[in-house]
Amino acid sequence: MDLRQLRYFIALTEYRSFVRAADAMGITQPAFSRAIQNLEHTFGCALVDRASKALPPTPEGQVVLQHARRLVQGAAQLNNDVLQMTKLDAGELRFGSGPALAVRLVPQALHHFIGAHPGIRTDLLVDNAERLGQALRREQIEFFVDDVRPFEADPNFHTEALSPRPGLFFCRPGHPLLAKDSLSTNDLFAYPLASALLAPGVRKRLANLSGRTDFTPHLQTEHLAVLRSVVLASDAIGTASEEAVAEDLAAGNLVRLHWRNLPPGLEVLSVYCGIISRSGQRLSPAARAMIDTLVSLDAAPSPADVAHRQSPPRHSPGAPRRPVRGS
């Protein structure tokens, strides 16, 4: 038995065909079949049910499959760690990001990281917090960056804070709300709401504001380009992190909305960003280098922040001319 045979067996369980699995592994079908037969001979039992067209693993095959996946993954991680022991010029980095941070911070960090370590292969997973947490538990990624609040109380996770990303409400130019001198939260709930996926606690706060027992946006998506397109083409009100739509706001493609009676403590739109990894995990040198890059860039002022400080405040139509609270 060797790792090559285990990889072939994993491929067979995925493709459920000797021909397709052999093609995927880049060898002839007879050679592939002999490798599987040799593996079965090693264990002294059949690993797949050849009487079934779907070639499902036998009970013994299921056990071998579980161990094979761990062994193959462990061998890849071992090779990756050894390659990175002396210098960061080889190996692989797998990490994740929530959509809010995938707009600006993560691309900036990748630009710096790839320039400094061109030999590292990087795999980035962009998804919502729940699925990123699952990927981390399964060791499919080493860490991810997103809102830390769902993970802070879980002893299985370690969190490292980054700067919060404030959120805001926005609409298209020409939206009916922009003709009003002052906006209340009643106006907010008079139109469809488009947002990223909302946690139950966030939905409860919005429900309290709207006077309902529960609140679900008309559109929930982690795809910011889709959310933006819907808002631009309709009277829907959008919510997102400020940096996600900063360029559109500056160009006048989207308009920030202000609410006169939004509770000052309402933080439903803010993303409390941080780096989430597994507790007790030894991060690879590549992961540590990427985290250091993220932390360094997060601490530096963005061009939008500098421009905002250097230019006088601008008000959108219908906005009260005073500091906005709660967004």
Side-chain angles (χ1 to χ4, degrees), residues 123-301:
D123 186 355
L124 171 64
L125 172 65
V126 179
D127 214 325
N128 63 53
E130 180 179 355
R131 287 194 283 266
L132 288 171
Q134 292 172 354
L136 185 60
R137 288 187 183 94
R138 295 169 183 163
E139 301 185 11
Q140 296 169 338
I141 54 178
E142 288 195 72
F143 71 91
F144 65 92
V145 286
D146 200 11
D147 197 317
V148 299
R149 285 174 291 187
F151 306 97
E152 286 179 314
D154 191 329
N156 295 307
F157 294 104
H158 170 75
T159 61
E160 183 176 347
L162 296 173
S163 302
R165 262 59 181 177
L168 76 163
F169 294 93
F170 58 90
C171 66
R172 64 173 177 84
H175 193 285
L177 286 178
L178 299 180
K180 303 186 72 170
D181 292 331
S182 181
L183 301 178
S184 72
T185 49
N186 290 334
D187 296 311
L188 165 62
F189 298 106
Y191 292 90
L193 185 67
S195 76
L197 297 178
L198 298 179
V202 174
R203 287 170 46 197
K204 183 177 180 180
R205 290 187 180 184
L206 288 172
N208 291 337
L209 277 176
S210 65
R212 307 173 193 176
T213 56
D214 194 9
F215 180 85
T216 302
H218 293 74
L219 168 67
Q220 292 190 93
T221 177
E222 296 290 6
H223 201 300
L224 292 171
V226 171
L227 192 155
R228 174 184 180 276
S229 296
V230 168
V231 171
L232 285 172
S234 70
D235 284 342
I237 296 171
T239 72
S241 68
E242 188 170 355
E243 72 176 32
V245 292
E247 292 183 2
D248 279 314
L249 293 172
N253 299 324
L254 295 171
V255 183
R256 179 197 296 261
L257 290 169
H258 304 261
W259 317 96
R260 67 172 183 268
N261 58 343
L262 197 66
L266 188 66
E267 300 168 343
V268 298
L269 301 178
S270 296
V271 180
Y272 281 75
C273 303
I275 298 161
I276 300 99
S277 58
R278 295 190 305 276
S279 294
Q281 172 192 17
R282 185 179 66 83
L283 293 169
S284 68
R288 194 65 256 171
M290 173 56 81
I291 289 174
D292 290 343
T293 303
L294 287 163
V295 171
S296 176
L297 290 173
D298 178 69

Side-chain angles (χ1 to χ4, degrees), residues 8-29:
Y8 292 168
F9 179 58
I10 293 171
L12 181 59
T13 64
E14 292 175 349
Y15 288 94
R16 300 300 177 95
S17 164
F18 279 86
V19 174
R20 291 198 301 272
D23 184 62
M25 299 305 292
I27 66 170
T28 65
Q29 189 268 324

Side-chain angles (χ1 to χ4, degrees), residues 110-131:
L110 283 170
H111 170 72
H112 284 77
F113 184 84
I114 292 171
H117 312 293
I120 301 291
R121 299 184 306 275
T122 305
D123 186 355
L124 171 64
L125 172 65
V126 179
D127 214 325
N128 63 53
E130 180 179 355
R131 287 194 283 266

